[in-house]
Amino acid sequence: MFNCKKIINGRINVPETESLPTTASEVYKEGEALVLSSGKLTKASGTTKPTHISLADYTAPASGQKDLPCYRIAPNMVFEVPVSFSETAAAIVVGSKLKVDTDGLGVTDVTTSGVITVVDAMDANTNKSNGDLISVIVE
């Protein structure tokens, strides 16, 4: 899950909440990276640069969806996220750009066309275990 750890030079370290329309029949998880598509929130993954983070779990029905509480990602937000390693686990290098994981709740070690920048590899390079946490920003 994308967990906002700090806002660099921010007056407060709490992002402002907003509620936006959801996509029919989509399942949302707290901390999931999202993007607006056709005016509705949907999961960001791969090379899709996320614009929002979900603040709640919600399963949208086929019709009559409710708005989802979320916050907009700013370039000065530092997130702590889990990393999923590929079979040929690559080292996590500060400054490299990683892809968003398919579940929208973390990143992968894949650097091709990445959209999430590593600012601290923490212990991820020692263990190379799925779920290791790293610090990132979305630029």
Side-chain angles (χ1 to χ4, degrees), residues 28-91:
Y28 299 89
K29 296 289 184 190
E30 182 178 357
E32 180 177 44
L34 304 170
V35 64
L36 279 171
S37 177
S38 300
K40 296 180 180 184
L41 292 169
T42 191
K43 181 186 319 254
S45 67
T47 60
T48 301
K49 181 180 172 182
T51 58
H52 294 79
I53 301 294
S54 171
L55 287 172
D57 291 344
Y58 175 63
T59 301
S63 63
Q65 307 88 274
K66 295 181 181 178
D67 288 352
L68 183 73
C70 61
Y71 62 86
R72 190 175 304 270
I73 296 173
N76 63 340
M77 291 178 171
V78 177
F79 295 93
E80 187 176 81
V81 296
V83 62
S84 295
F85 287 94
S86 56
E87 287 186 25
T88 54

